[in-house]
């Protein structure tokens, strides 16, 4: 008999959890980018950033030309040529520079980060409680109304077919397991 399994409910919960965490992270990254742009604008740093980017892109091209013709080991030329992540697209490069900004150095970004982590922890706690609810239920059938009451859409769940294994006549003496009976 086919029925919905608890494992299917856990899958739905995990998908919802990952979606919510991704949404929080996206919002945090957008808010952080706005704050960083505000700091760049406040201190008039856009022109300097563009100059640094242009210099890095040109420097990488020159280093690549040198490294192609002269063997170098572990040097700054090799690092500039191959290891630095210098996107030719200025906006992409700028975004990458501040992606993992040190939040301790700016009070506003620090506060934003801690608020994000607090929200993230709250979401994780809520989903842990939902998983515990499913675990405590005697069956998936008992957990389904509780999940629907919380707001989970389970309308797409299809009962899983129970697979039965067929037994065949196995020559135990060929297995070498000591079961020659």
């Amino acid at each position: 008999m086919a029925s919905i399994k608890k494992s299917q409910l856990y899958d739905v919960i995990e998908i919802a959890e990952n979606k919510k965490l991704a949404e929080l992270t996206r919002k945090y990254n957008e808010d952080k980018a706005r704050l960083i742009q505000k700091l760049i604008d406040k201190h008039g740093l856009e022109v300097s950033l563009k100059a640094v980017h242009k210099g890095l892109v040109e420097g990488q091209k020159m280093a690549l030309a040198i490294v192609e013709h002269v063997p170098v080991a572990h040097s700054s030329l090799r690092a500039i040529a191959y290891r630095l992540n210098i996107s030719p697209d200025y906006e992409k490069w700028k975004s990458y520079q501040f992606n993992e900004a040190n939040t301790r150095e700016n009070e506003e970004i620090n506060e934003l980060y801690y608020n994000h982590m607090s929200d993230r922890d709250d979401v994780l706690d809520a989903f842990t409680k939902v998983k515990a609810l499913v675990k405590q239920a005697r069956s998936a059938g008992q957990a389904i109304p509780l999940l629907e009451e919380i707001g989970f859409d389970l309308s797409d769940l299809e009962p899983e077919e129970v697979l039965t294994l067929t037994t065949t006549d196995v020559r135990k003496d060929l297995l070498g397991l000591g079961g020659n009976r």
Side-chain angles (χ1 to χ4, degrees), residues 4 15 34 62 86 92 109 116 142 148 151 153 165 178:
I4 293 175
I15 289 168
R34 271 194 293 281
M62 290 184 276
I86 304 171
K92 191 173 183 180
I109 296 173
H116 166 68
Q142 186 183 30
E148 288 175 335
D153 179 13
L165 298 176

Side-chain angles (χ1 to χ4, degrees), residues 12-28:
V12 169
I13 295 167
E14 184 177 352
I15 289 168
E17 178 179 22
N18 290 338
K19 182 179 176 183
K20 182 62 179 176
L21 290 174
E23 178 186 317
L24 283 176
T25 300
R26 180 193 51 74
K27 185 180 179 328
Y28 165 70

Side-chain angles (χ1 to χ4, degrees), residues 69-173:
H69 300 290
V70 180
V72 294
H74 303 287
S75 66
S76 56
L77 274 175
R78 187 171 191 80
I80 292 168
Y82 297 121
R83 292 190 191 106
L84 292 182
N85 188 3
I86 304 171
S87 171
D89 178 276
Y90 171 71
E91 288 300 326
K92 191 173 183 180
W93 172 82
K94 184 172 84 169
S95 174
Y96 178 78
Q97 298 311 303
F98 303 108
N99 190 35
E100 294 299 324
N102 188 345
T103 59
R104 292 171 290 191
E105 294 178 8
N106 179 279
E107 191 174 310
E108 283 181 280
I109 296 173
N110 192 29
E111 182 180 348
L112 183 69
Y113 173 76
Y114 283 107
N115 288 340
H116 166 68
M117 293 308 289
S118 176
D119 291 346
R120 191 177 185 285
D121 288 344
D122 291 345
V123 167
L124 289 170
D125 287 345
F127 277 100
T128 298
K129 290 175 184 175
V130 171
K131 291 173 198 169
L133 206 127
V134 172
K135 186 175 183 176
Q136 291 172 357
R138 278 180 265 149
S139 67
Q142 186 183 30
I144 288 172
L146 299 172
L147 291 176
E148 288 175 335
E149 183 180 319
I150 292 171
F152 283 90
D153 179 13
L154 304 175
S155 61
D156 291 340
L157 283 183
E158 304 257 341
E160 279 187 3
E161 290 294 323
V162 178
L163 301 176
T164 57
L165 298 176
T166 59
T167 58
T168 59
D169 190 20
V170 177
R171 287 191 48 201
K172 295 177 188 173
D173 61 319

Side-chain angles (χ1 to χ4, degrees), residues 18-89:
N18 290 338
K19 182 179 176 183
K20 182 62 179 176
L21 290 174
E23 178 186 317
L24 283 176
T25 300
R26 180 193 51 74
K27 185 180 179 328
Y28 165 70
N29 287 334
E30 288 173 357
D31 291 346
K32 183 172 70 170
R34 271 194 293 281
L35 277 176
I36 289 171
Q37 188 60 50
K38 185 173 114 180
L39 290 171
I40 290 169
D41 294 343
K42 177 182 175 183
H43 298 288
L45 300 174
E46 198 74 47
V47 172
S48 297
L49 279 168
K50 286 181 179 178
V52 168
H53 176 256
K54 182 178 179 182
L56 286 170
V57 170
E58 289 302 313
Q60 187 170 43
K61 287 178 187 174
M62 290 184 276
L64 276 168
I66 294 168
V67 171
E68 286 177 2
H69 300 290
V70 180
V72 294
H74 303 287
S75 66
S76 56
L77 274 175
R78 187 171 191 80
I80 292 168
Y82 297 121
R83 292 190 191 106
L84 292 182
N85 188 3
I86 304 171
S87 171
D89 178 276

